Amino acid sequence: MKLNIKGISYSQTQTGAYALILEEELGQRKLPIIIGSFEAQSIALAMEKDIRTPRPLTHDLFVSIGRAFSFFVKGVFIHRLEDGVFYSNILFEDKDGNEEEIDSRTSDAIALAIRFDAPIYALETVMEKAGIHLEVQEKEEKSIASAIREIEEEVARQEKKYDFSMKTVEELKQEMKEAVQNEDYELAARLRDELDKR
């Protein structure tokens, strides 16, 4: 189903985090996604068409590359939610009509979708899992705030798994090897950083 951006709000409980609120085009459900401050700024600037930054942001640079090499974003698809993380693909098309779907962080995908004026879609399974159904208008803010809290709690739970203070160097090396095998590159990167610190 197609989604529109409703807005961005600052997270009261998680420093440096924001909630991007998407809503169904034909429906009442909202999809809150926790994003970082850089991504929030990039999305907000893209939504404010009149604001120009002195130098191009990363997402603006990507648009310039697209124009130079004649490709554009045809659509963004949020297709999975796992352990509090939304997974998305960006569908690109070139001037000859060739299409390519590429994995992306959801925040980056949406930042590009706005700049290319491309539609954003979410699978029904994602909406069932994380969408908030708002039947009564006055409940909207409380429902969104509640959903944001739930996602933030999930993010906090994920952060706990990155506490390596009690692990030995050998345990860290083994976990990093397993993380790479499981294609959990974020965990592998954090383990590598912890090993570098030691």
mmCIF file of all heavy atoms in Angstrom, residues 71-90:
data_model
loop_
_atom_site.group_PDB
_atom_site.id
_atom_site.type_symbol
_atom_site.label_atom_id
_atom_site.label_comp_id
_atom_site.label_asym_id
_atom_site.label_seq_id
_atom_site.Cartn_x
_atom_site.Cartn_y
_atom_site.Cartn_z
ATOM 1 N N PHE A 71 19.454 8.188 -14.416
ATOM 2 C CA PHE A 71 18.634 7.200 -13.713
ATOM 3 C C PHE A 71 17.859 7.921 -12.620
ATOM 4 O O PHE A 71 18.196 9.039 -12.233
ATOM 5 C CB PHE A 71 19.479 6.051 -13.142
ATOM 6 C CG PHE A 71 20.394 6.440 -12.009
ATOM 7 C CD1 PHE A 71 19.928 6.530 -10.699
ATOM 8 C CD2 PHE A 71 21.740 6.707 -12.247
ATOM 9 C CE1 PHE A 71 20.775 6.891 -9.663
ATOM 10 C CE2 PHE A 71 22.591 7.068 -11.214
ATOM 11 C CZ PHE A 71 22.102 7.159 -9.914
ATOM 12 N N PHE A 72 16.779 7.295 -12.186
ATOM 13 C CA PHE A 72 15.955 7.921 -11.155
ATOM 14 C C PHE A 72 15.338 6.847 -10.260
ATOM 15 O O PHE A 72 15.373 5.651 -10.585
ATOM 16 C CB PHE A 72 14.860 8.793 -11.790
ATOM 17 C CG PHE A 72 13.865 8.029 -12.606
ATOM 18 C CD1 PHE A 72 12.664 7.599 -12.057
ATOM 19 C CD2 PHE A 72 14.128 7.722 -13.937
ATOM 20 C CE1 PHE A 72 11.743 6.885 -12.819
ATOM 21 C CE2 PHE A 72 13.215 7.013 -14.701
ATOM 22 C CZ PHE A 72 12.016 6.590 -14.138
ATOM 23 N N VAL A 73 14.811 7.292 -9.146
ATOM 24 C CA VAL A 73 14.133 6.376 -8.211
ATOM 25 C C VAL A 73 12.686 6.247 -8.655
ATOM 26 O O VAL A 73 11.963 7.239 -8.758
ATOM 27 C CB VAL A 73 14.207 6.912 -6.755
ATOM 28 C CG1 VAL A 73 13.360 6.047 -5.828
ATOM 29 C CG2 VAL A 73 15.652 6.944 -6.279
ATOM 30 N N LYS A 74 12.289 5.017 -8.918
ATOM 31 C CA LYS A 74 10.911 4.763 -9.363
ATOM 32 C C LYS A 74 9.981 4.525 -8.177
ATOM 33 O O LYS A 74 8.788 4.806 -8.238
ATOM 34 C CB LYS A 74 10.912 3.543 -10.291
ATOM 35 C CG LYS A 74 9.629 3.367 -11.067
ATOM 36 C CD LYS A 74 9.762 2.276 -12.107
ATOM 37 C CE LYS A 74 8.484 2.131 -12.906
ATOM 38 N NZ LYS A 74 8.594 1.048 -13.893
ATOM 39 N N GLY A 75 10.528 3.980 -7.085
ATOM 40 C CA GLY A 75 9.705 3.732 -5.904
ATOM 41 C C GLY A 75 10.530 3.152 -4.772
ATOM 42 O O GLY A 75 11.638 2.651 -4.977
ATOM 43 N N VAL A 76 9.984 3.256 -3.556
ATOM 44 C CA VAL A 76 10.609 2.701 -2.355
ATOM 45 C C VAL A 76 9.644 1.702 -1.741
ATOM 46 O O VAL A 76 8.440 1.972 -1.653
ATOM 47 C CB VAL A 76 10.942 3.835 -1.351
ATOM 48 C CG1 VAL A 76 11.230 3.282 0.026
ATOM 49 C CG2 VAL A 76 12.107 4.657 -1.860
ATOM 50 N N PHE A 77 10.173 0.546 -1.321
ATOM 51 C CA PHE A 77 9.330 -0.514 -0.783
ATOM 52 C C PHE A 77 9.835 -0.949 0.591
ATOM 53 O O PHE A 77 10.936 -1.483 0.701
ATOM 54 C CB PHE A 77 9.324 -1.714 -1.743
ATOM 55 C CG PHE A 77 8.861 -1.360 -3.127
ATOM 56 C CD1 PHE A 77 9.768 -0.915 -4.089
ATOM 57 C CD2 PHE A 77 7.520 -1.419 -3.465
ATOM 58 C CE1 PHE A 77 9.353 -0.560 -5.353
ATOM 59 C CE2 PHE A 77 7.090 -1.060 -4.731
ATOM 60 C CZ PHE A 77 8.012 -0.632 -5.681
ATOM 61 N N ILE A 78 9.036 -0.707 1.624
ATOM 62 C CA ILE A 78 9.363 -1.177 2.977
ATOM 63 C C ILE A 78 8.778 -2.580 3.069
ATOM 64 O O ILE A 78 7.562 -2.757 3.097
ATOM 65 C CB ILE A 78 8.759 -0.247 4.053
ATOM 66 C CG1 ILE A 78 9.200 1.201 3.809
ATOM 67 C CG2 ILE A 78 9.170 -0.706 5.451
ATOM 68 C CD1 ILE A 78 8.473 2.224 4.653
ATOM 69 N N HIS A 79 9.659 -3.589 3.093
ATOM 70 C CA HIS A 79 9.177 -4.956 2.912
ATOM 71 C C HIS A 79 9.311 -5.863 4.132
ATOM 72 O O HIS A 79 8.783 -6.975 4.149
ATOM 73 C CB HIS A 79 9.884 -5.609 1.715
ATOM 74 C CG HIS A 79 11.375 -5.685 1.866
ATOM 75 N ND1 HIS A 79 12.003 -6.721 2.515
ATOM 76 C CD2 HIS A 79 12.354 -4.843 1.451
ATOM 77 C CE1 HIS A 79 13.311 -6.524 2.489
ATOM 78 N NE2 HIS A 79 13.548 -5.377 1.853
ATOM 79 N N ARG A 80 10.028 -5.378 5.185
ATOM 80 C CA ARG A 80 10.222 -6.265 6.331
ATOM 81 C C ARG A 80 10.483 -5.457 7.585
ATOM 82 O O ARG A 80 11.065 -4.381 7.535
ATOM 83 C CB ARG A 80 11.418 -7.188 6.038
ATOM 84 C CG ARG A 80 11.692 -8.258 7.084
ATOM 85 C CD ARG A 80 12.521 -9.396 6.494
ATOM 86 N NE ARG A 80 13.776 -8.965 5.934
ATOM 87 C CZ ARG A 80 14.977 -9.198 6.486
ATOM 88 N NH1 ARG A 80 15.080 -9.861 7.615
ATOM 89 N NH2 ARG A 80 16.081 -8.799 5.900
ATOM 90 N N LEU A 81 10.043 -6.007 8.716
ATOM 91 C CA LEU A 81 10.349 -5.442 10.032
ATOM 92 C C LEU A 81 10.855 -6.582 10.894
ATOM 93 O O LEU A 81 10.160 -7.570 11.097
ATOM 94 C CB LEU A 81 9.099 -4.820 10.660
ATOM 95 C CG LEU A 81 9.227 -4.368 12.117
ATOM 96 C CD1 LEU A 81 10.284 -3.290 12.259
ATOM 97 C CD2 LEU A 81 7.887 -3.869 12.647
ATOM 98 N N GLU A 82 12.097 -6.441 11.346
ATOM 99 C CA GLU A 82 12.711 -7.518 12.129
ATOM 100 C C GLU A 82 13.546 -6.924 13.253
ATOM 101 O O GLU A 82 14.406 -6.078 13.020
ATOM 102 C CB GLU A 82 13.598 -8.354 11.200
ATOM 103 C CG GLU A 82 14.059 -9.658 11.800
ATOM 104 C CD GLU A 82 14.811 -10.491 10.778
ATOM 105 O OE1 GLU A 82 14.216 -10.880 9.755
ATOM 106 O OE2 GLU A 82 16.008 -10.734 10.995
ATOM 107 N N ASP A 83 13.272 -7.350 14.481
ATOM 108 C CA ASP A 83 14.000 -6.859 15.657
ATOM 109 C C ASP A 83 13.994 -5.329 15.737
ATOM 110 O O ASP A 83 14.992 -4.701 16.052
ATOM 111 C CB ASP A 83 15.448 -7.363 15.661
ATOM 112 C CG ASP A 83 15.516 -8.874 15.793
ATOM 113 O OD1 ASP A 83 14.632 -9.456 16.446
ATOM 114 O OD2 ASP A 83 16.458 -9.475 15.232
ATOM 115 N N GLY A 84 12.854 -4.734 15.397
ATOM 116 C CA GLY A 84 12.725 -3.281 15.489
ATOM 117 C C GLY A 84 13.335 -2.512 14.337
ATOM 118 O O GLY A 84 13.336 -1.286 14.339
ATOM 119 N N VAL A 85 13.871 -3.225 13.328
ATOM 120 C CA VAL A 85 14.515 -2.570 12.182
ATOM 121 C C VAL A 85 13.655 -2.765 10.929
ATOM 122 O O VAL A 85 13.247 -3.882 10.609
ATOM 123 C CB VAL A 85 15.924 -3.151 11.929
ATOM 124 C CG1 VAL A 85 16.561 -2.507 10.705
ATOM 125 C CG2 VAL A 85 16.807 -2.965 13.153
ATOM 126 N N PHE A 86 13.375 -1.648 10.240
ATOM 127 C CA PHE A 86 12.632 -1.708 8.981
ATOM 128 C C PHE A 86 13.623 -1.920 7.830
ATOM 129 O O PHE A 86 14.664 -1.272 7.779
ATOM 130 C CB PHE A 86 11.857 -0.412 8.749
ATOM 131 C CG PHE A 86 10.703 -0.220 9.689
ATOM 132 C CD1 PHE A 86 10.887 0.419 10.903
ATOM 133 C CD2 PHE A 86 9.440 -0.681 9.368
ATOM 134 C CE1 PHE A 86 9.830 0.609 11.778
ATOM 135 C CE2 PHE A 86 8.374 -0.507 10.238
ATOM 136 C CZ PHE A 86 8.569 0.134 11.453
ATOM 137 N N TYR A 87 13.268 -2.828 6.917
ATOM 138 C CA TYR A 87 14.108 -3.117 5.748
ATOM 139 C C TYR A 87 13.401 -2.615 4.492
ATOM 140 O O TYR A 87 12.203 -2.852 4.313
ATOM 141 C CB TYR A 87 14.363 -4.618 5.624
ATOM 142 C CG TYR A 87 15.260 -5.153 6.719
ATOM 143 C CD1 TYR A 87 14.752 -5.437 7.996
ATOM 144 C CD2 TYR A 87 16.615 -5.360 6.495
ATOM 145 C CE1 TYR A 87 15.578 -5.914 9.000
ATOM 146 C CE2 TYR A 87 17.447 -5.836 7.507
ATOM 147 C CZ TYR A 87 16.913 -6.113 8.750
ATOM 148 O OH TYR A 87 17.735 -6.585 9.750
ATOM 149 N N SER A 88 14.166 -1.939 3.628
ATOM 150 C CA SER A 88 13.579 -1.354 2.422
ATOM 151 C C SER A 88 14.439 -1.614 1.195
ATOM 152 O O SER A 88 15.640 -1.839 1.306
ATOM 153 C CB SER A 88 13.426 0.160 2.594
ATOM 154 O OG SER A 88 12.539 0.455 3.635
ATOM 155 N N ASN A 89 13.784 -1.560 0.043
ATOM 156 C CA ASN A 89 14.461 -1.612 -1.246
ATOM 157 C C ASN A 89 14.110 -0.362 -2.030
ATOM 158 O O ASN A 89 12.991 0.164 -1.902
ATOM 159 C CB ASN A 89 14.028 -2.838 -2.062
ATOM 160 C CG ASN A 89 14.648 -4.117 -1.535
ATOM 161 O OD1 ASN A 89 15.633 -4.089 -0.797
ATOM 162 N ND2 ASN A 89 14.071 -5.247 -1.894
ATOM 163 N N ILE A 90 15.055 0.105 -2.822
ATOM 164 C CA ILE A 90 14.801 1.222 -3.732
ATOM 165 C C ILE A 90 14.789 0.656 -5.149
ATOM 166 O O ILE A 90 15.714 -0.070 -5.536
ATOM 167 C CB ILE A 90 15.902 2.301 -3.633
ATOM 168 C CG1 ILE A 90 16.055 2.786 -2.188
ATOM 169 C CG2 ILE A 90 15.570 3.480 -4.551
ATOM 170 C CD1 ILE A 90 17.220 3.748 -1.992
#
